[in-house]
Amino acid sequence: MSESAVAHGAHGQHAKPSFISHYIFSLDHKMIGRQFLFVGLLMLMIGGILAMLVRWQLAWPESPVPGLGFISEPYIYPGPNGGGIIPPQTYNALFTMHATIMIFFVVMPIMVGTFGNFLIPLMIGAGDMAFPKLNMLSFWVGAISGVVMLSSFFVPGGPAAGGWTGYATLSAKAQYTGVEWGQHLWIIALMLNGVSSLMGAINYITTVVNMRAPGMGYFRMPLTVWSLFITAILLLLALPVLTAALAMLLFDRMAGTSFFLPEGGGEPLLWQHMFWFFGHPEVYILVLPAMGITSDLLSTFSRKPIFGYHAMAFSMIAIAGLSWIVWGHHMFISGMNPLLGTAFMMTTMVIAVPSAIKVFNWLGTLWGGSIRLTVPMLFALGFVSNFLIGGLSGIFMASTPVDIFIHDTYFIVAHFHYVVAGIIFALFAAVYYWFPKMFYRNMNQTLGKVHFVLTYIFFNGAFFPMHFLGVGGHMRRIYNPLQYEFITPMHDWNIFITWSALILGASQLFFLGNFFWSLFAGKKAEQNPWQANTLEWSAPTPAPHGNFLTTPTVYRGPYEYSSPEVTEDWLPQDKDIGASTAAKAH
Amino acid sequence: MATSSVAHKLDDVPPPAPRPELVGGGPPVRPNMPLLNNARLGVIMMLGAELMFFAGLIGAFLVFRLSAQVWPPPFQPRLPLGVTGVNTVILLFSALTVHWAVGAARVGQTAVLVRQLGFTAALGALFLAIQGYEWARMIHFGLTTSSSVYGGLFYTLIGAHGVHVIGGLIWLAVVYWQARRGRFSKKDFVGVQTTRMYWTFVVALWPVLYGLVYLY
Ligand SMILES: [Cu+2]
């Protein structure tokens, strides 16, 4: 209803907003956040199906996938009973598009797009983003980039097949992968995606700097806002470098240059340097929001202040700062000067310090708390556990002597899935936690717990054995592992992993069912169902356009749980208990 | 503040009074008085991103330049240093005119503001025209994107700057049109300030590119 107050208040227009201005071209940060969520979930399903196909091929190489026979010949070969066999070039396209979609069209739109948009203004007590129109544009450019990326499945030659890292020369010449327009569209879609993220980043930073409510100092911001703020700075500075590299790659393919093609005097390694200069900060763009959200949830559901608030904020700043000087750890076997490799090894190892600070502070937050094992809390704990495993395997990857042996094996696949796919636990935690604020209803907790248990078990079932395969020498992007005799004894692990992955995928139906059922039929939510302190729970449910009925004044930090000043075990940031004493005294 | 030893009950705390402008529906809340307004801060962010974009391209240029024994490579046409030097002066002068435009806006002299914005756009267009003419000549002499990495770098770096000049001209045209219609006043000329920020960036970038691509 109050959505009509889209700043037309001054003109006295109080017409009901049309469907289009409310749901499609909305300027309300909350609606834009929801739009990003639905697009991200759709892409999550597509990316997940691609992963299942990759897993099928690895467990039962070159055997027909049920129901895939409808795809025409050069892409899928027909098998019995309507099945289809995945040929090598399609396999390359599958893993390339799986990673591209999951990173740029699932984790970024949901963790940064959805929660950045939905939470930043609410959590800092602002009415909206600093630039609502730019915000809308950011979503729509992002949506177009998604359409461009998906359209590459339907062009002759199929989608990009040079890996998500797009290493030159593989990506720079159509003959090498047999993909002409698919790779062009991949480049164009990523450039558009970069523009969309850039507009979002400008908005987030300006909003956090300029639009905080009275009393909301930087060090009273929830760690979720801190993490999104730092993420936005990383996006702002890292993405343009990728855009520059992508432009050069596109010119190599379309304008006859040879920046990355040795036969024309080019330098393939230059692509790797430019890509990873962006690529490593990108990892933190993905993981920092998950860390911030986890910090908030652990504190709320332990009913305890976060352990070491300042250390948490500064460790995120340190991680972001260090992320600029570590990119060479992706290139240890590229023929880089060993001295330079050692320098990159050192800087990478240093990141373990702020990361460990975060993990220990999370444990310190849990210690002695009155823990409430709600569904969001379970998923937040799941994120901590995955991040711990992924962080520790990262130390192996960072050390040059070890990396030489496990580089581009399934060990790295295990490592980045524990970190990046592990983010999905924080993603689910956040969806379960903020669902009542976003959609005014509660999700079913029992179904949520079933979803968590299945996801946790089969996530680990799918990704933990990959460590063993990697140490055993199983290559990363191999089409048919059985062609190597030394991998054959480990093949049972591949089958085990695939079964785990298939069940993991099927378990997500519990989430989807719960999500869409709760959207329409869930129990009506209260204003503050989790008894949390941050400002978004002080806004009414549903929150109108403009969010708050009164401009909130902030009196304290976000983590005053179990404070002796109040009888309840939570104390919202905007409660003026001093004033109430004064009022009583008079 | 809360120094009392008695623990309060949250429900006893009175809720704050409703904000009058939101009762009847109004614009979104903007509670803070910022040091730098949103528009200028936003443009600073954008320029930061632009800087990283050019840093990427310049980094790529340096990789090739520093590892080359002979530069420019043999059998490639030489770049027109003199004409481009004059062109550099033309572009640098446009940074002054856009600066004067802001000065005029600050004291509310709309006529001067419009004139200076017009000068700036004209100088930018002249710069672009000379660049275009030189490009045509260089293609004629055989420097193309595919003739060598040298050619590719030249057209990518200088072309990227040219695209930014075109963007600046569009921006200037919009602000020029707004200024003519009396959009800006002594109190409100943020649009002119952000134009100056962007145009100054485009101008300041040029001598760096000229120095690297043409002279180095
Ligand atoms: Cu890295």
Side-chain angles (χ1 to χ4, degrees), chain A residues 59-82:
Chain A
W60 304 290
E62 294 170 62
S63 65
V65 186
L68 215 60
F70 69 95
I71 301 172
S72 60
E73 186 99 15
Y75 307 113
I76 295 288
Y77 287 90
N81 305 324

Side-chain angles (χ1 to χ4, degrees), chain A residues 5-7 9 14 125-132 198 202 205-206 209-214 236-238 240-241 243-244 247-248 251 255-259 264-267 270 274 277 324 545-546 548-551 555-556 564-568 570-572 575-578 580-581 583-584, chain B residues 1-46 48-50 52-57 59-61 63-64 67 145-149 151-153 156:
Chain A
V6 192
H14 286 283
D128 204 323
M129 283 286 180
F131 308 109
L198 220 55
I202 290 174
I205 298 172
T206 310
V209 172
N210 271 1
M211 312 268 288
R212 284 166 290 123
L236 188 80
L237 301 178
V241 180
T243 309
M248 290 165 71
F251 291 158
T257 58
S258 22
F259 295 123
E267 189 60 80
L270 177 63
M274 292 182 84
F277 184 80
W324 298 103
H545 195 125
F548 296 94
L549 299 180
T550 55
T551 305
Y555 295 96
R556 60 189 67 77
E565 293 181 22
V566 281
T567 50
E568 291 86 346
W570 79 100
L571 179 49
K575 277 281 181 195
D576 181 8
I577 51 178
S580 76
T581 336
K584 266 186 213 157
Chain B
M1 285 286 299
T3 47
S4 130
S5 58
V6 193
H8 300 270
K9 215 167 158 342
L10 283 178
D11 288 345
D12 295 343
V13 180
R19 212 151 44 91
E21 69 271 24
L22 258 189
V23 173
V29 192
R30 287 203 173 188
N32 230 1
M33 282 304 291
L35 288 173
L36 204 60
N37 65 46
N38 289 351
R40 292 173 74 185
L41 189 60
V43 172
I44 290 177
M45 300 296 150
M46 191 189 88
E50 295 278 23
M52 289 305 288
F53 174 74
F54 279 100
L57 292 182
F61 173 84
V63 165
F64 289 106
S67 61
T145 51
S146 50
S147 67
S148 64
V149 174
L153 284 170
T156 304

Side-chain angles (χ1 to χ4, degrees), chain B residues 54 58 61 81 84-95 127 131 157-158 161 165 199-216:
Chain B
F54 279 100
I58 289 172
F61 173 84
L81 299 185
T84 314
V86 174
N87 215 1
T88 307
V89 177
I90 293 174
L91 194 64
L92 285 175
F93 190 67
S94 76
F127 171 83
Q131 287 284 85
L157 266 78
I158 305 303
H161 181 262
V165 176
W199 190 258
T200 311
F201 170 80
V202 172
V203 172
L205 193 64
W206 177 252
V208 178
L209 294 178
Y210 179 63
L212 280 172
V213 178
Y214 286 77
L215 301 178
Y216 177 41

Side-chain angles (χ1 to χ4, degrees), chain A residues 276 279-281 283-284 323 326-330 348 415:
Chain A
W276 288 117
H280 195 87
V283 176
Y284 295 123
S323 75
V326 298
W327 79 91
H329 61 216
H330 297 269
T348 305
H415 164 68

Side-chain angles (χ1 to χ4, degrees), chain A residues 2 8 36 208 233 240 246 340 346 409 422 429 437 497 533 541 544:
Chain A
S2 323
H8 291 300
F36 269 115
V208 170
I233 296 172
L246 287 170
L340 189 60
M346 300 294 200
T409 66
K437 207 68 199 175
I497 290 169
N533 288 344
T541 303

Side-chain angles (χ1 to χ4, degrees), chain A residues 1-299:
Chain A
M1 42 143 285
S2 323
E3 313 273 350
S4 64
V6 192
H8 291 300
H11 305 280
Q13 293 171 357
H14 286 283
K16 256 199 173 285
S18 69
F19 178 83
I20 289 186
S21 74
H22 185 74
Y23 289 106
I24 312 289
F25 295 111
S26 174
L27 295 176
D28 184 350
H29 72 101
K30 299 187 289 298
M31 188 54 76
I32 295 170
R34 291 181 199 116
Q35 291 173 326
F36 269 115
L37 181 62
F38 284 108
V39 171
L41 289 178
L42 176 73
M43 295 300 247
L44 177 62
M45 285 185 248
I46 297 172
I49 289 168
L50 296 178
M52 299 303 139
L53 295 175
V54 169
R55 277 320 312 174
W56 182 283
Q57 165 63 23
L58 286 169
W60 304 290
E62 294 170 62
S63 65
V65 186
L68 215 60
F70 69 95
I71 301 172
S72 60
E73 186 99 15
Y75 307 113
I76 295 288
Y77 287 90
N81 305 324
I85 296 164
I86 302 169
Q89 67 274 19
T90 301
Y91 178 78
N92 290 348
L94 288 176
F95 68 68
T96 300
M97 295 307 281
H98 161 68
T100 306
I101 287 177
M102 287 302 197
I103 290 166
F104 292 97
F105 296 94
V106 176
V107 177
M108 279 170 79
I110 298 186
M111 297 308 282
V112 186
T114 300
F115 294 111
N117 266 307
F118 190 81
L119 294 177
I120 290 177
L122 277 169
M123 282 186 145
I124 63 172
D128 204 323
M129 283 286 180
F131 308 109
K133 281 189 189 131
L134 193 68
N135 209 12
M136 179 187 80
L137 206 59
S138 161
F139 171 74
W140 280 105
V141 173
I144 291 168
S145 87
V147 170
V148 173
M149 189 58 89
L150 290 182
S151 71
S152 73
F153 280 97
F154 303 100
V155 294
W164 86 275
T165 49
Y167 270 18
T169 53
L170 204 51
S171 57
K173 239 189 154 110
Q175 294 94 296
Y176 296 153
T177 51
V179 179
E180 176 89 39
W181 267 97
Q183 188 82 38
H184 294 342
L185 292 173
W186 183 85
I187 295 171
I188 294 165
L190 287 189
M191 288 171 98
L192 286 172
N193 191 277
V195 172
S196 155
S197 300
L198 220 55
M199 291 192 278
I202 290 174
N203 232 332
Y204 296 173
I205 298 172
T206 310
T207 306
V208 170
V209 172
N210 271 1
M211 312 268 288
R212 284 166 290 123
M216 180 61 89
Y218 282 107
F219 287 101
R220 279 182 180 173
M221 295 196 306
L223 288 167
T224 300
V225 177
W226 261 111
S227 69
L228 289 161
F229 181 48
I230 297 167
T231 297
I233 296 172
L234 287 180
L235 274 172
L236 188 80
L237 301 178
L239 273 172
V241 180
L242 177 69
T243 309
L246 287 170
M248 290 165 71
L249 188 62
L250 196 63
F251 291 158
D252 271 9
R253 293 178 66 89
M254 299 185 88
T257 58
S258 22
F259 295 123
F260 306 123
L261 291 166
E263 64 264 38
E267 189 60 80
L269 268 185
L270 177 63
W271 168 266
Q272 295 189 24
H273 278 290
M274 292 182 84
F275 182 84
W276 288 117
F277 184 80
F278 146 82
H280 195 87
E282 169 72 11
V283 176
Y284 295 123
I285 288 164
L286 302 175
V287 83
L288 280 175
M291 291 174 157
I293 287 168
T294 300
S295 306
D296 274 13
L297 264 53
L298 290 187
S299 171

Side-chain angles (χ1 to χ4, degrees), chain B residues 37-210:
Chain B
N37 65 46
N38 289 351
R40 292 173 74 185
L41 189 60
V43 172
I44 290 177
M45 300 296 150
M46 191 189 88
L47 295 182
E50 295 278 23
L51 201 63
M52 289 305 288
F53 174 74
F54 279 100
L57 292 182
I58 289 172
F61 173 84
L62 287 175
V63 165
F64 289 106
R65 177 66 190 91
L66 293 174
S67 61
Q69 310 285 333
V70 194
W71 194 267
F75 312 116
Q76 287 290 301
R78 294 298 175 266
L79 300 174
L81 299 185
V83 180
T84 314
V86 174
N87 215 1
T88 307
V89 177
I90 293 174
L91 194 64
L92 285 175
F93 190 67
S94 76
L96 270 182
T97 54
V98 80
H99 183 71
W100 291 334
V102 173
R106 184 169 285 122
V107 291
Q109 294 175 325
T110 307
V112 183
L113 166 66
V114 170
R115 190 157 13 122
Q116 295 296 355
L117 286 173
F119 280 150
T120 311
L123 288 167
L126 180 62
F127 171 83
L128 216 54
I130 296 175
Q131 287 284 85
Y133 176 70
E134 290 301 328
W135 274 37
R137 270 164 40 97
M138 255 146 6
I139 293 168
H140 178 72
F141 288 131
L143 186 73
T144 61
T145 51
S146 50
S147 67
S148 64
V149 174
Y150 177 66
L153 284 170
F154 172 79
Y155 288 110
T156 304
L157 266 78
I158 305 303
H161 181 262
V163 168
H164 280 75
V165 176
I166 293 172
L169 288 180
I170 295 169
W171 191 328
L172 278 166
V174 172
V175 175
Y176 177 82
W177 180 72
Q178 287 179 329
R180 281 192 63 160
R181 301 192 43 171
R183 164 73 184 72
F184 304 110
S185 65
K186 255 188 240 183
K187 285 202 184 93
D188 175 20
F189 55 100
V190 177
V192 188
Q193 285 179 311
T194 50
T195 311
R196 174 174 69 175
M197 291 162 75
Y198 179 75
W199 190 258
T200 311
F201 170 80
V202 172
V203 172
L205 193 64
W206 177 252
V208 178
L209 294 178
Y210 179 63

